């Protein structure tokens, strides 16, 4: 006969929050201008604060309302 097992407790719920850090401008290698916006992604947990990555977006190259025309060198 096996001894009875202790009841399993429910897993603890931990709240984490992801925030973008301060924005800064950066050099865009595609359009050769200082038009890229970069922000570090900051994760806030009960254990502390961590930088988990970065997010970048170029206001010229990646504008969905006004896409750049295709260049002949890219399109053949």
């Amino acid at each position: 006969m096996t001894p009875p097992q202790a009841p399993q407790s429910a897993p603890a719920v931990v709240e984490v929050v992801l925030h973008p850090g301060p924005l800064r401008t950066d050099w865009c290698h595609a359009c050769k201008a200082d038009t890229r916006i970069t922000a570090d992604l900051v994760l806030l947990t009960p254990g502390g604060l961590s930088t988990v990555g970065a997010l970048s977006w170029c206001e010229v190259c990646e504008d969905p309302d006004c896409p750049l025309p295709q260049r002949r060198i890219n399109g053949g």
Side-chain angles (χ1 to χ4, degrees):
M1 187 154 81
T2 60
Q5 293 182 349
Q8 296 286 334
S9 61
V13 176
V14 177
E15 185 174 333
V16 295
V17 181
L18 184 66
H19 284 286
L23 297 176
R24 61 187 182 278
T25 59
D26 201 3
W27 181 259
C28 177
H29 300 283
C31 66
K32 310 285 191 267
D34 201 21
T35 55
R36 189 167 68 179
I37 299 167
T38 304
D40 292 326
L41 297 176
V42 180
L43 185 67
L44 177 61
T45 65
L49 190 67
S50 303
T51 302
V52 293
L55 179 67
S56 295
W57 180 76
C58 178
E59 60 185 315
V60 174
C61 296
E62 300 176 31
D63 185 4
D65 295 331
C66 185
L68 292 176
Q70 186 174 14
R71 298 178 186 172
R72 287 190 300 174
I73 194 168
N74 295 341

